[in-house]
Amino acid sequence: MLTLETFETQGDHVIEGVLRASDGRWVPIIGGVPSFLTGVLQQDLSGFAAKHGLALHVTQARAAATEQAKTNETFSDKWTRFKNYGLEPQHQEFLYGWFMKKFNLGSLEELKAFHAKRRRILECGPGSGFNARFMAEQTSGEVFALDISAAAMTTFGNTHDLANCTVVQADLMEAPFPDDYFDFIIADGVLHHTPDTRLAVEALYRKLEPGGQFFFYVYKKMGAARVFADEHIRKNFMPLSPDECYAACEGITELGRELSRLNAKITLEKPIPVLGIPAGTHDVQRLIYYNFLKCFWNEAFDYETNNMVNFDWYHPHNAWQHTQAEVEGWLRDLGAKEWQVNDANPNGISVLVTKPVGPR
């Protein structure tokens, strides 16, 4: 049981304070966001503790946390730079259209209704908070947005006017919520950036109430040429600082832009199974993007945002890829009986699973 001690408020929000546990430990609230991080993932709290007369406590971090901390640097930088991602009208048409494909829905109204029926939603990895905001605007229930990186602060800045949206900074492997608590959980493009994707799926599945639904999107194992290029580029880009990596991605982004603006198509009468390339008509930019090199480009975004999408692929330290058979094996091991895999994107696997009611 935690008790709240408030140092600074703004309207209904506690901007600075602590959540105290009975054993003397405490969780800081800084900038409106409670942070449950420990060990190497935790920010330096010495100044905060001294300011409020608090004793610092030392915790044992998980061994994988050191590698996770490197991944956090990528996303803390990304969501500090791109605070308006998904909030611009030109972004939303593309992004909500993609969500409709992922959930196998036919219209924006169906997407709104999908969220409206929820009582308690958890989004892991909200980024800028655009989707947490959208979901909170649709439902009279509660929305909780959890992020391990500084994206939590960006999400709070973009959702603090919504009374039914709460933001926490925490490791999803140790999410500060009871088991069997949420009727909808979403982790879109997040779990493959943890130390172990399967363990991350299991951790969030425990938080889902029986009868609730869990959506997650993870990277799909790509063809041999794309895997080779990805591994080679990551090996060279991961050690770079964020600024250096953004600069290194510019040539890749330019390639995506120029290929896209060609608006060229080719038709292959025969597939190339060894590279995972199907027969049929292919847009040239998409053919290269899906099979050889992630050179993302979308005219709905400006150059910097397109470059960010390529940075997002090549800079994170944890970025696992999986097969559909592998993912479905995890679900069977969890005792799930009902799920759908929607073919929204050749780069990823979109899964919507329902937790069974009653014993496994």
Side-chain angles (χ1 to χ4, degrees), residues 46-57:
S46 55
F48 180 88
K51 177 182 176 181
H52 299 295
L54 300 166
L56 287 172
H57 50 268

Side-chain angles (χ1 to χ4, degrees), residues 259-334:
L259 287 170
S260 179
R261 290 178 177 176
L262 281 177
N263 196 28
K265 291 179 172 57
I266 61 170
T267 298
L268 301 178
E269 294 184 1
K270 297 183 181 297
I272 311 174
V274 71
L275 294 179
I277 300 175
T281 299
H282 300 267
D283 177 272
V284 170
Q285 189 266 339
R286 294 279 98 179
L287 178 67
I288 293 174
Y289 173 86
Y290 290 135
N291 298 287
F292 298 99
L293 170 73
K294 176 153 184 168
C295 49
F296 180 86
W297 183 263
N298 188 307
E299 292 289 350
F301 300 142
D302 60 22
Y303 178 86
E304 288 74 18
T305 303
N306 278 286
N307 197 51
M308 174 270 285
V309 174
N310 293 318
F311 164 89
D312 177 277
W313 183 267
Y314 287 119
H315 194 253
H317 281 247
N318 292 328
W320 312 110
Q321 296 181 9
H322 304 281
T323 66
Q324 182 172 328
E326 182 183 11
V327 171
E328 291 185 332
W330 304 342
L331 299 178
R332 281 190 289 270
D333 289 346
L334 285 169

Side-chain angles (χ1 to χ4, degrees), residues 81 237-250 311 315:
R81 292 177 189 245
F237 282 16
M238 282 193 305
L240 301 177
S241 71
D243 281 337
E244 290 170 335
C245 188
Y246 279 114
C249 286
E250 289 179 354
F311 164 89
H315 194 253

Side-chain angles (χ1 to χ4, degrees), residues 217-229:
Y217 171 91
V218 295
Y219 291 154
K220 182 179 179 180
K221 187 78 170 178
M222 305 301 288
R226 175 64 186 273
V227 169
F228 173 82

Side-chain angles (χ1 to χ4, degrees), residues 55 57 62 82 116 146 158-160 183 248 252 259 306 327 355:
H57 50 268
R62 293 180 293 109
F82 294 93
L146 178 153
N158 286 329
T159 61
H160 68 274
D183 63 347
I252 295 172
L259 287 170
N306 278 286
V327 171
K355 191 170 188 176

Side-chain angles (χ1 to χ4, degrees), residues 55-89:
L56 287 172
H57 50 268
V58 178
T59 57
Q60 185 69 33
R62 293 180 293 109
T66 300
E67 192 67 20
Q68 184 65 55
K70 296 176 183 177
T71 302
N72 285 6
E73 292 175 10
T74 297
F75 292 104
S76 290
D77 183 274
K78 170 184 173 180
W79 295 118
T80 300
R81 292 177 189 245
F82 294 93
K83 294 181 178 180
N84 290 326
Y85 178 79
L87 297 168
E88 306 288 343

Side-chain angles (χ1 to χ4, degrees), residues 180 182 185 204-210 212-214 355:
D180 304 322
F182 296 97
I185 298 175
L204 291 182
Y205 192 78
R206 287 195 296 271
K207 303 301 177 184
L208 188 67
E209 70 178 17
Q213 291 187 299
F214 175 22
K355 191 170 188 176

